[in-house]
Amino acid sequence: MAISLLGIGEASATELHVALYPYVPRLEQFQTAIQAEWQKVQPEVPLNFVPAEDWDGGYSNNPPENADVYVFDAMFFDYFRSQNWLEPIQASEINNLEDFVEYAIDGVKVGQEYYAIPQLGCANILFYHKEDAAIANATNLDQIQNALSSCTYTSEIPPDIRGMMLDMAGGTTNATLYLDIAHSLTGQYPFLLPENESQLNSQAIDNMQELLGMASYENATDQDDSIKSYQRADWFSDGWGRALMGYTEAMSNMSENTRQNIGFKVMPLSDQDQSYPEVFYADVIGVNTTSEERGTRDLAVKLANTMAASTTMIASIGADASHPYPQYLMATRPTIFQTLEKSFPLYGDMFRLIQGQNIIMFKVNDQSRSWLNTMKNSIRENAREDYSCGCDYPAIEPILNNTYAPWICGDTCADHGGWNGQWSNAYPAAQETSVCGCNACPLP
């Protein structure tokens, strides 16, 4: 007679539902790796992956009730815990507990219990060309600005190696950047959450405006779907822009030649003494409290451990059969960095961003969701206020040469603050027709 090795409640489980964090370069690779490793652990319990459109990592959606395990942005850790959506896990239930970077495992611990298992990390990273000594040696925001200058381009794509590219489009992106900057100014943690516009840290807003000025309005604020998918990394790889602010996974969209000649570091967000801890974001694996009701709780913990295991994560973020290069996502286990570094030396550089550093996990308090809904648009609007660098607008007709530019651009910019004297027929600034540099932003 065969004896089931599952607990009584688990024996009735026909499958487990898992919701993955969707905003990664190659989501399918995670599914394939997790499926393969889970087959080795529990082959009789199939996995059902929640469609990416049904789970956004926690930014707007609540964890699906049928999801036994889900990966979410740790900024919502306290909120999810307050809503009783995270099953407590004992230290004895976490595999290789000692093999986590300190900020990641400390960030999910409350008292003597853990309410998630770390999977991925990230931070605001500044990418530049190795030989660019001015940026490489800059240690604060003012030095970065002195190196890059402001208002160096007004098009969506920099016309050559000038200026910076970054994403300041979404409301949540702006709100989290504001909190990161405010922390770099004050060192206050947990973060101080302004309740209205009058409570915003004016210096933090000034720094956001300074970042926007190093880019162009259109580059930093474009919400087109094609821009969200690491498009700026493609442009940087093609030789447009002098610097790029983003996450490490942006390197997966760069050419191998670019990666061979790239430098990167945590972006300095203020001119303050950098003795304050650095802030790293994290994506963590939660076990849904609804799994207890279904009798799948212990299986869900086992699955969370499998998803976070070094072997699974290396298969999830490393090179695969279709891609001879990794996703360059930031790991949270030293063994993952060390293994990937052997084939991809940039993982050693990524690990050095963490080693010996004082780092804290980016978490907002249990009011995170309501605070974001209240303040994110106000923060974004303040960051864009009084932008003075101008924007490119499609010319009302093609510009043949300088003789025609003044009247064509004069008419084009009549309702956009007037013409700033710049025009172009050259790609990438001009993509379909001539463009004129107008004094006023934003674009409609």
Side-chain angles (χ1 to χ4, degrees), residues 233-247:
D234 280 327
W235 294 335
F236 182 77
S237 193
D238 288 338
W240 297 320
R242 184 174 167 188
L244 167 68
M245 186 174 121
Y247 302 136

Side-chain angles (χ1 to χ4, degrees), residues 251-312:
M251 291 189 287
S252 68
N253 262 49
M254 298 179 187
S255 69
E256 185 58 35
N257 182 64
T258 299
R259 289 194 289 261
Q260 291 288 336
N261 295 282
I262 203 165
F264 56 88
K265 58 186 174 184
V266 176
M267 177 73 184
L269 295 172
S270 75
D271 299 331
Q272 292 298 107
D273 181 350
Q274 296 304 306
S275 62
Y276 297 139
E278 291 176 348
V279 176
F280 270 60
Y281 303 93
D283 300 323
V284 297
I285 307 166
V287 172
N288 203 332
T289 49
T290 60
S291 66
E292 180 72 35
E293 303 162 13
R294 284 190 291 274
T296 58
R297 187 265 183 199
D298 291 348
L299 273 173
V301 171
K302 186 179 290 188
L303 174 58
N305 273 299
T306 301
M307 292 166 60
S310 286
T311 51
T312 310

Side-chain angles (χ1 to χ4, degrees), residues 42-228:
Q42 208 79 49
E44 66 273 34
V45 180
L47 299 182
N48 187 313
F49 291 94
V50 175
E53 58 268 21
D54 293 338
W55 175 237
D56 66 351
Y59 299 103
S60 299
N61 297 348
N62 297 334
E65 285 198 18
N66 70 329
D68 297 279
V69 174
Y70 60 93
V71 185
F72 66 101
D73 189 319
M75 71 179 291
F76 300 110
F77 178 83
D78 287 333
Y79 173 64
F80 280 20
R81 203 169 68 86
S82 73
Q83 298 299 306
N84 193 35
W85 292 334
L86 292 171
E87 180 72 15
I89 304 170
Q90 304 305 312
S92 59
E93 296 181 287
I94 299 179
N95 298 341
N96 299 317
L97 184 62
E98 71 287 348
D99 182 32
F100 283 106
V101 294
E102 188 174 358
Y103 85 88
I105 198 63
D106 287 351
V108 297
K109 185 179 183 181
V110 180
Q112 296 304 308
E113 295 178 313
Y114 298 84
Y115 284 81
I117 301 178
Q119 186 188 49
L120 296 169
C122 66
N124 287 306
I125 302 296
L126 181 66
F127 300 94
Y128 54 91
H129 302 286
K130 277 182 181 177
E131 70 275 8
D132 195 330
I135 298 179
N137 295 330
T139 59
N140 60 44
L141 183 61
D142 187 55
Q143 292 170 358
I144 296 291
Q145 199 277 335
N146 287 339
L148 291 173
S149 301
S150 296
C151 305
T152 59
Y153 71 103
T154 53
S155 52
E156 179 181 45
I157 308 173
D160 49 39
I161 301 178
R162 71 173 83 172
M164 182 168 69
M165 293 182 282
L166 77 159
D167 179 7
M168 290 179 62
T172 298
T173 299
N174 277 266
T176 55
L177 179 59
Y178 166 86
L179 292 177
D180 202 347
I181 293 174
H183 172 265
S184 75
L185 290 165
T186 67
Q188 187 160 0
Y189 187 84
F191 300 129
L192 179 65
L193 303 182
E195 296 179 2
N196 53 59
E197 187 172 339
S198 68
Q199 293 182 3
L200 290 173
N201 183 314
S202 60
Q203 185 60 59
I205 295 296
D206 288 347
N207 288 14
M208 293 181 73
Q209 293 176 343
E210 190 172 349
L211 289 170
L212 185 56
M214 285 186 262
S216 75
Y217 191 95
E218 194 172 357
N219 178 273
T221 66
D222 196 322
Q223 290 188 300
D224 187 282
D225 285 342
S226 65
I227 305 301
K228 295 177 183 177

